[in-house]
Amino acid sequence: MKKLIFDLDDTLYDLMEPFQKAHEELFQDQTDADTEALFMASRIYSDEAFYLVREGKLPKEEEFAYRIQKTYQEAGLSITREDALRFEKRYRHYQKHLHVPEGIQSMLNECVESGTVIGILTNGTEANQTKKMEVLGIRRWFEEESIFISDQVGATKPDPKAFLAVQKALDLDPKDTWFIGDTFEVDVDGAKNAGWHVIWFNHRRRKAPEESRKPDLEVQTMKELREAVRKLIK
């Protein structure tokens, strides 16, 4: 039977929702930049800031402000650190209302009902990711021992060591193991380099990097993802 390991952010829930609401509340009247384009830029700078913190090049307390200031700077809007912290406050507020979409819930229900081994591998700090999962009610589907956070694992996607740590802990056979994630450079590259199969949940319809390894399957909608997972767990 296939084993399925999921990314968390922007795969099992819509990561853009709290960003969009904070943007609309604070900065929408100051820029005509497309909200999704801003969000996508923030994802790039979020990864950049995350690695800078891990390498000791950026103080942890500056991580979020760095991400937001860089995002709006790219769109031609200069915001102060204080503005970035206001954004973070509103963003954190809206994060308290995250939810797993019904289509994803149905997919996970089918996985559980079929007895499929499922897990989560997510980048981030233990505190932040644990808090998100509590809000999302993610443990309705995932056992505690099947949830892996880079902070705990000691390796960060796309480092294959993160995937191999999950593989060892759950005694997975890479030939039967599939990773489902939204970010090509982090999820697809990382899982493929670990010898896993990959479904790229490309619901943001991004272009794959040139000369990159291809995922085993690319889907762009929740319906397509559910159908793909259904075929795997039969």
Side-chain angles (χ1 to χ4, degrees), residues 3-193:
K3 315 300 191 299
L4 309 182
I5 309 299
F6 294 86
D7 172 46
L8 177 67
D9 296 325
D10 222 29
T11 296
L12 295 181
Y13 74 96
D14 183 2
L15 184 63
M16 180 174 159
E17 188 174 303
F19 180 96
Q20 181 173 359
K21 289 182 176 179
H23 167 71
E24 290 172 350
E25 182 178 327
L26 297 174
F27 302 133
Q28 184 169 269
D29 61 347
Q30 300 180 48
T31 177
D32 58 0
D34 178 74
T35 305
E36 185 160 353
L38 285 170
F39 170 72
M40 295 307 301
S42 80
R43 291 278 280 158
I44 293 171
Y45 289 118
S46 177
D47 288 341
E48 184 176 295
F50 180 78
Y51 290 115
L52 286 173
V53 170
R54 287 190 71 90
E55 295 166 4
K57 298 177 181 178
L58 181 71
K60 176 64 182 174
E61 60 271 18
E62 297 295 328
E63 183 176 0
F64 197 96
Y66 175 95
R67 161 189 175 183
I68 297 304
Q69 286 183 289
K70 286 284 191 177
T71 294
Y72 282 97
Q73 182 180 5
E74 183 174 305
L77 179 63
S78 178
I79 64 171
T80 65
R81 181 177 180 276
E82 288 69 30
D83 285 336
L85 294 177
R86 284 173 55 225
F87 187 102
E88 179 177 13
K89 183 176 181 180
R90 298 310 294 159
Y91 179 86
R92 300 299 182 198
H93 166 76
Y94 290 120
Q95 272 194 322
K96 295 176 183 177
H97 305 283
L98 295 175
H99 64 281
V100 178
E102 287 187 9
I104 299 295
Q105 290 190 37
S106 297
M107 177 190 71
L108 294 175
N109 286 337
E110 288 185 47
C111 288
V112 172
E113 289 164 6
S114 69
T116 302
V117 173
I118 58 175
I120 290 175
L121 173 59
T122 177
N123 282 350
T125 66
E126 181 177 0
N128 285 343
Q129 298 304 81
T130 298
K131 189 179 299 182
K132 280 186 211 169
M133 286 186 269
E134 289 174 355
V135 172
L136 291 164
I138 217 74
R139 288 172 179 79
R140 282 177 284 174
W141 303 283
F142 297 91
E143 300 290 340
E144 188 66 38
E145 58 269 21
S146 69
I147 297 174
F148 300 86
I149 303 170
S150 62
D151 213 22
Q152 301 168 318
V153 171
T156 303
K157 297 182 298 179
D159 188 339
K161 291 178 182 177
F163 297 87
L164 296 176
V166 176
Q167 181 175 306
K168 181 179 180 180
L170 298 181
D171 192 25
L172 303 176
D173 183 340
K175 297 193 299 296
D176 295 323
T177 303
W178 288 71
F179 191 77
I180 296 96
D182 70 292
T183 306
F184 197 100
E185 296 84 350
V186 173
D187 298 320
V188 177
D189 279 346
K192 293 300 285 186
N193 287 335

